[in-house]
Amino acid sequence: MRSILLQTICRFIIPFLLVLSVFLLLRGHNEPGGGFAGGLIAASSFALILLAFGKNEMKVAMRFDPKSIAGIGLVIAVLSGFPAFFIGEPYLKAIWFMLPTPLGPTKVGTPVIFDIGVYLVVIGITVSFLEDMDE
Amino acid sequence: MVTIEIFLIAGLILAALAQPIGRRLGSSFSLLATLVPLSAFVWGITSLQTLPIISSRPWVPSLGLDFSLRLDHLGLLFWLLISGIGTLIFIYAGAYMKPKELPRLLSILSVFMVAMLGIASAANAITLFLFWEITSITSFLLIGFKGEYENSRKSAVQALAVTGIGGLILLAGLILLGTENQTFEFAQWTSASPIAITLVAIGCMTKSAQFPFHFWLPNAMAAPTPVSAYLHSATMVKAGIFLLAKLSPLFGPQPALAWIGAITLVWASVLSLGERDLKRILAWSTVGALGLMVMLIGHGTKEAAEAVAYTILAHALYKGALFMTAGSIDHAMGTRDALQLGNLRRHIPTLALPAILASLSLAGIPIFAGFIKKELALAAFEPATGIPFLIAIIISAISGIIVAMTLTHRIFFQSQPEEAELHHAPTPGLWIPPLILAVLGLLVGAFCLPIGEHFIQYVAATIHGSEVKNHIALWHGFKLPLFLSIGAIVTGFILNPFWPRIRTSLENLPKTVTLEGSFRALNQLTNQTSVGITMFYERRSVRDHMILNFGAFLVILGVVAAQNPMTLALPNGPGILFHEVVLLLFAALAAIVVIFIPNRLGAVAVLGIVGVAMAITYVTFSAPDLALTQILIDVLTVVLFVLIFAKLPRFKDILTKNQKLTNATISIVFGSAMTLLMLAVLSAPQLPSINHYFAETSYTLGQGLNVVNVIIVDYRALDTMGEITVLCLAALGVHTLVRLKVKSGGQKQ
Amino acid sequence: MSVIFVVLIPLLMAALLVSLWNVPKGRKIIALIGSAAHALAGVWLLTTVIQSGAVAKNISGWIPPFGIEFRADIFSATLVALASFIGLCVTIYAHSNIDDERTNFGFHPLFFVLLGGISGAFVTADLFNMFVWFECILLSSFVLLGLGGEKKQLRGSLNYVIPNLFSSMLFLTGLGLIYGATGTLNMAQLAERTAQINPSTAALITVVFVTAFGLKAALFPFFSWLPNSYHTPPTAVAALFAGLLTKVGIYAIIRFVGTIAPTTAAAIIPILTIICVLTIVIGSIGALAHTNLRKILGYLLIGHIAFMLLGLIVPTQASMAAAYFYMLNHILVITCLFFFVGIIQWHTGQIDIRKIGGLQAKYPALAVGMAIPTLSLIGIPPFSGFWPKIGLLQAASETPLFFASIIFSSFLTLLAMAKVWMNIFWRAEVTETPEMPPCPTTKALPAYLLAAIILVISLFPAPIADLTNRAASEFAPYFQINRGDQ
Amino acid sequence: MTELAVAILTGILFTTGVYLLLERTMIKFLIGLVLLGNATNLVVFTCSRLVRGAPPIIPKGEKILQPPFADPLGQALILTAIVISFGVLAFTMMLIRRTYDAIGSDDVEDLIEPLGQDLTEKESAP
């Protein structure tokens, strides 16, 4: 299974996949994509590493404990609903504001933050599955 | 008036205090405890002139339930019996029980007494039922008082089973009556449907040990004697009589009931001759007396009502005394086997007097209460129409003579080949209470007139529902009842010498004939059936259960579909294009192929193809987000499959042909049902969907162009939150399963 | 405060406890505080609803029916309050019942998600959202059931998982169908629209949902998962499952038929009656067959669960009120009994009644305490189980079959519990049991507390009866549609 | 017509899924679950009506989505459902694997508790 060919392809493709996943996450609000799709793409790249190099490599590539990433994602998602309380709105009510970025002003809102949480959860969970299944 | 409640509460307080205080005071505690029943008794006598005593307070208003009490003459009769005999029983128990056991016994007995007083004074069906069930439970606890013996436990559960099912049937009857009359107050009941009457009557029959539910009572003799004397002769078993009597104005004469009573009377009178255990002899005799009462209530005439009223009183007096005496004999001699007892007048002379006095009453010898009871009963039936009932009474009278002779002449004055020796001489507490009752039996008989005029007459009026004249007298003249009485007495004395032979032949009756055997067989059958059904159901694989689940769902669906015929039409959606046909066919083919692939990885590969086909379907019908997610999930699923399959065995084809056929049938029917359900939905246009709102506001309010994504992270973000929580749980679960070491059942290390 | 908190608090607690994964010390205390907060939120919700009527709150600020709405009327608020209270009791009990190993594997977060899911399922006014909470309940219960990793737990797990997945599948299918027909997911709007679609289609969709929920509620013949799984997990988990899980299924059925699709009730009432009667009969029979205390209680649970649907079968307010009263009482009683079984297990190391004996002599307090829920379960007056039974019988007098089955079930319950009682309390000790340290307070406290509450309800049932009556009145449209004369 | 065809496909997916769920080998459950997941998603998808070539994405520069458009709500529901069933599938996989480890067989008939097995367990000590 651990063919050189696969490993070589991986080296090329994985950075691309990771960038793509972030791209999908960020553009998700306006075009197909979003936290799920982005997270799954990222997770797929880790699955590739697992198949091509083995579990240890995947753990190294992951750097963090996947469960912590999932936990952080969940906490981010849950917390993204809280700002609404401060302006007397119901839980999870979206709040939008303009954020100046190097690429020009960008609209940022709690739904985006929520989506990032989803993204992290999906990555963390899927990698955790992979890790545990390959026991 | 709150007086009634005060006594009820006092009884409960006594029950609560029995354990802590009783343990310190020892057997003298029982004397202290008698204060409660004694005061209730005294109060009962003094309040004779102020009847009826009424009290009512709301309890559960929304159910229309009040806690209402009403003490009338019938109730007062019971009240006096319960409290009066209760007083004596408390004293008796103090002498009879071991000091260690006494507090617990008195505690349960007090609860029981409260419940009986409650029954006597209840004015509301639910209130009555409340107390009724408490008596069943306390009876269970008391019969099983010595629960370490298997016999006690069996008898206890038997009694509970019979009175328990009876209680529920009674409840059913009472509820029907309550629903029918729109109230649970007895006083306002005006109509009674036959079914309700039947249910109530069955309930009363179980409690009062009527044929064919009678067998629990002799077995209840496993209880300590104070309990037998109190519950199973004087009071609790009469609760059914009480309720029948209370409701008899509503129910009217019930010939069926009279017949049941007669059968019980004869059957029990005969079987009382087949026992050798004194308590069991008395228990059968009690069943007979209860049968007599039911017979009279069922008969329903004024004379019968009077006879019932008097019988309740007379029976309680002599039977209570006899039970206590039997218990004292047991206590003194270490046995209550009639065949091993003899010459008791030498060993325990103090017990001779109560035994003789009470037995004379039981035998129906003139001037004793038992005599008048019998006369009244005989007078209640017309010689022309009531011959079977008269015969029943005569038979019981004959049997009563023999029993009385056994209890006195045989054991006190004759000697036996194997005689038991004296263990301890009875203390006063063991012979004074029965003596008091026995003497009362004499007094009630000898001075019957005032009691009848001042009390029994009114009780009879309550039972019959209209005024009843007093017939109670020692001398009625040379009429039929007297001749019958004399005839019975003479026959009894003639038959008495043959008792041992009669006993042996009756003892050898097959168990099934005595119905107790049938009950045991029924009980066993129930147990076996339940175990059988349950094991049959439980010891099945998950596959069998799923077949049941799918099958049941399909059956329900089919039944409802048959009752509500569908009108199916072709959906008026877009026409199909060629490449879509190919795509769908391809997906269907792949799905079917998955079933038949024997190779694990091959199956997964084809499964992946199904997923891809799904993704293409999504993209064809304008769902790019779905397609993207589907394809990614598909890939990851395949990866997981590959990883997990490394640790699992290869596919095996272990289904038998029949099993395959079952699978195929169920799955095809299920699949078709689903298609039809979808068609049912699709053949009508969808009501205006709420999705137009998302289309209109997704950008203006939701700040996003991708409506699906806006729904996921904004409109329905809570769903998504739940969903990622589920994901986290799944990861936690997988992690847990991986890490936990499987232990082989049983003990944890 | 807002109604969202009854769901948010447990979920936050779960997140917090997950992040404390590697901090063994404080977890139990934090869990206790969290449970107490949840119970407070539940009580707050109930008092608010009682005082000022149903509370509705949309999530994400979108007006219903477009956004998700939480709506608590008395019917659901009482259940939430009760669930959160039971949750608190279980947390206390779990303090000594759940060992370190299980704590390390996340008992507490799972428990909180389960609690949050249950609360969410009770208060949500959106059908798909309910599905999500059901999945939360499902997954957390899967994992809780498997915690411990004993062989028989694994044996039971698959029996639990597969039927429940079937139920989820039906739920989702039903969602697709009902959304396809009505174009909405909001319960209030669904209630209007189910009357407008083809009645036959509506009836069939109801069958799909009722089957899905009926499986959760362990109705005949969908109950196979229950007896196979309830006897394996630790007491705290089993008590939580027994007390609440099946009731969520019952709640969903009542909510669906009573609120969402009342017009379809006529089509399914006959078949529902048969199902209920069979459930009652088979469950009670099963209880008689077993000697394992947990299994006996599990089967009795099945035998009693169908009573709670009488409010649908006989569409009157009185019957709904009685069924609801029964349900509330049953939650308390069955949880309490499971706690006591746990205490018995602590003392003797056994849960098989053939091997336990002599408890009355050794632990009289236990006998007194356990008598209360036992008598209530049987329905002996004046114990709390009796009050709703009067109403049930009155209501069921219209359907003789149901009437008879209530009597039958009560009788078998009586027999089964009498058998238990005689064996474990009266009989002399069967096997030598090693001296155990006295039962920890954290185990005894919730058991006796619940027993005390049951006793109070027994003697003063009027407030509960009023409450259930008001809760039942919330189904007035259902009664009107199906009876017409009210 | 299209909807009919997809409904039939859904029925076939249900059929195959249920068939596999009624297998005796536990592993086949897993494949059955995937097929059933797909089938239920198709139910939701089809019942929210099929539309060609009109994804629910507002074109750049416009403010609202003009009909006809494919139902975004149905798609969002499916998206949620897909992910949930993925998680459930993973859990079930591991459960089946552990069960196999413990029992040593993948035949569900062997999962039935052996008769006479000691059903008691010890309450965990403090």
Side-chain angles (χ1 to χ4, degrees), chain C residues 97 128 135 142 151 155 158 161-162 165 169 172-173 176 179-180 231-232 235 345-346 349-350 352 355 443, chain D residues 26 29 36 40 47-49 71 73 77 81 84 88 91 95 102 110-111 113 118 120-121 123-124 126:
Chain C
N97 178 240
F128 190 81
E135 293 298 303
F142 283 171
K151 205 169 180 176
R155 280 183 197 281
L158 212 59
V161 169
I162 300 291
L165 291 182
M169 180 193 90
L172 192 55
T173 310
Y179 174 68
H231 63 294
T232 56
T235 305
Q345 205 176 351
W346 168 272
Q350 308 280 354
D352 189 329
K355 296 178 183 157
K443 270 185 203 294
Chain D
M26 298 185 290
F29 288 177
L36 286 177
T40 39
C47 286
S48 49
R49 303 301 190 273
D71 187 354
L73 183 54
L77 302 186
I84 288 182
V88 173
F91 176 79
L95 180 67
D110 294 331
L111 276 181
E113 270 183 24
D118 188 359
T120 59
E121 67 169 317
E123 185 84 332
S124 52

Side-chain angles (χ1 to χ4, degrees), chain B residues 647-648 742, chain C residues 154, chain D residues 26 96-105:
Chain B
K647 277 89 183 176
L648 286 171
V742 176
Chain C
L154 283 175
Chain D
M26 298 185 290
I96 285 180
R97 201 199 119 187
R98 297 305 288 184
T99 312
Y100 172 73
D101 287 350
I103 313 293
S105 157

Side-chain angles (χ1 to χ4, degrees), chain C residues 40-64:
Chain C
L40 279 180
V43 171
W44 166 84
L45 180 65
L46 181 59
T47 45
T48 316
V49 171
I50 287 178
Q51 280 163 10
S52 47
V55 175
K57 189 85 180 174
N58 55 50
I59 316 294
S60 312
W62 299 100
I63 46 162

Side-chain angles (χ1 to χ4, degrees), chain B residues 535 539-544 546-547 550 570-577 580 584 587-588 591-592 594-595 603 607 610-611 614 617-618 620-626 629-630 633 636-637 640-641 644-645 647-656 659-660 663-664 666-668 670-672 674-675 678-679 681-682 684-686 689-692 694-696 698-700 704-708 711-712 716 719 723 726-727 730 733-734 737-738 740-742 746-748, chain D residues 1-25 27-31 34-39 41-66 69-84 86-98 100-102 105-115 117-118 120-122 124:
Chain B
M535 283 303 142
R539 300 195 47 71
R540 297 272 141 186
S541 67
V542 65
R543 172 174 177 271
D544 295 333
M546 286 314 292
I547 288 177
F550 278 113
L570 279 185
N572 38 9
I576 194 159
L577 302 178
E580 291 165 1
L584 296 179
I592 294 169
V594 169
I595 301 181
L607 193 65
V610 175
M614 292 284 297
T617 315
Y618 289 142
T620 314
F621 297 107
S622 324
D625 279 288
L626 277 186
T629 313
Q630 169 76 32
I633 290 274
L636 286 167
T637 307
L640 290 188
F641 266 114
I644 202 82
F645 275 172
K647 277 89 183 176
L648 286 171
R650 297 177 181 287
F651 277 3
K652 271 175 289 192
D653 198 12
I654 41 178
L655 283 181
T656 64
Q659 287 174 328
K660 278 184 183 163
N663 281 12
I666 288 187
S667 54
I668 289 172
F670 186 83
S672 327
M674 287 298 162
T675 305
M678 286 172 73
L679 283 185
V681 168
L682 291 170
Q686 187 183 26
S689 168
I690 53 174
N691 63 23
H692 68 91
F694 306 127
E696 286 153 13
S698 167
Y699 185 69
T700 49
L705 294 172
N706 182 353
V707 185
V708 176
I711 292 178
I712 283 185
R716 303 185 68 90
D719 282 347
E723 172 201 344
V726 171
L727 271 186
V734 170
L737 283 169
V738 171
L740 276 183
K741 299 218 162 50
V742 176
Q747 308 266 319
K748 282 177 55 64
Chain D
M1 274 313 286
T2 327
E3 285 168 352
L4 174 68
V6 181
I8 291 172
L9 172 66
T10 315
I12 292 171
L13 286 179
F14 269 121
T15 308
T16 52
V18 171
Y19 187 93
L20 288 169
L21 208 61
L22 295 177
E23 276 280 355
R24 272 171 63 182
T25 37
I27 316 172
K28 294 194 181 175
F29 288 177
L30 297 173
I31 297 178
V34 177
L35 288 172
L36 286 177
N38 283 336
N41 292 341
L42 267 188
V43 174
V44 181
F45 190 63
T46 318
C47 286
S48 49
R49 303 301 190 273
L50 301 177
V51 177
R52 278 196 206 95
I57 294 171
I58 302 174
K60 283 244 162 68
E62 296 206 21
K63 289 209 159 52
I64 63 170
L65 189 59
Q66 296 291 352
F69 52 85
D71 187 354
L73 183 54
Q75 294 186 16
L77 302 186
I78 297 172
L79 213 49
T80 309
I82 289 182
V83 179
I84 288 182
F86 177 66
V88 173
L89 177 75
F91 176 79
T92 318
M93 276 180 172
M94 192 42 96
L95 180 67
I96 285 180
R97 201 199 119 187
R98 297 305 288 184
Y100 172 73
D101 287 350
S105 157
D106 68 334
D107 184 351
V108 287
E109 303 274 333
D110 294 331
L111 276 181
I112 306 168
E113 270 183 24
L115 258 187
Q117 191 194 343
D118 188 359
T120 59
E121 67 169 317
K122 196 127 174 77
S124 52

Side-chain angles (χ1 to χ4, degrees), chain C residues 291-297 341 344 351 353 356 420 424:
Chain C
T291 56
N292 178 315
L293 272 173
R294 291 244 200 113
K295 281 211 171 192
I296 292 173
L297 290 179
V341 169
I344 290 173
I351 50 172
I353 60 169
I356 308 172
V420 169
I424 67 175

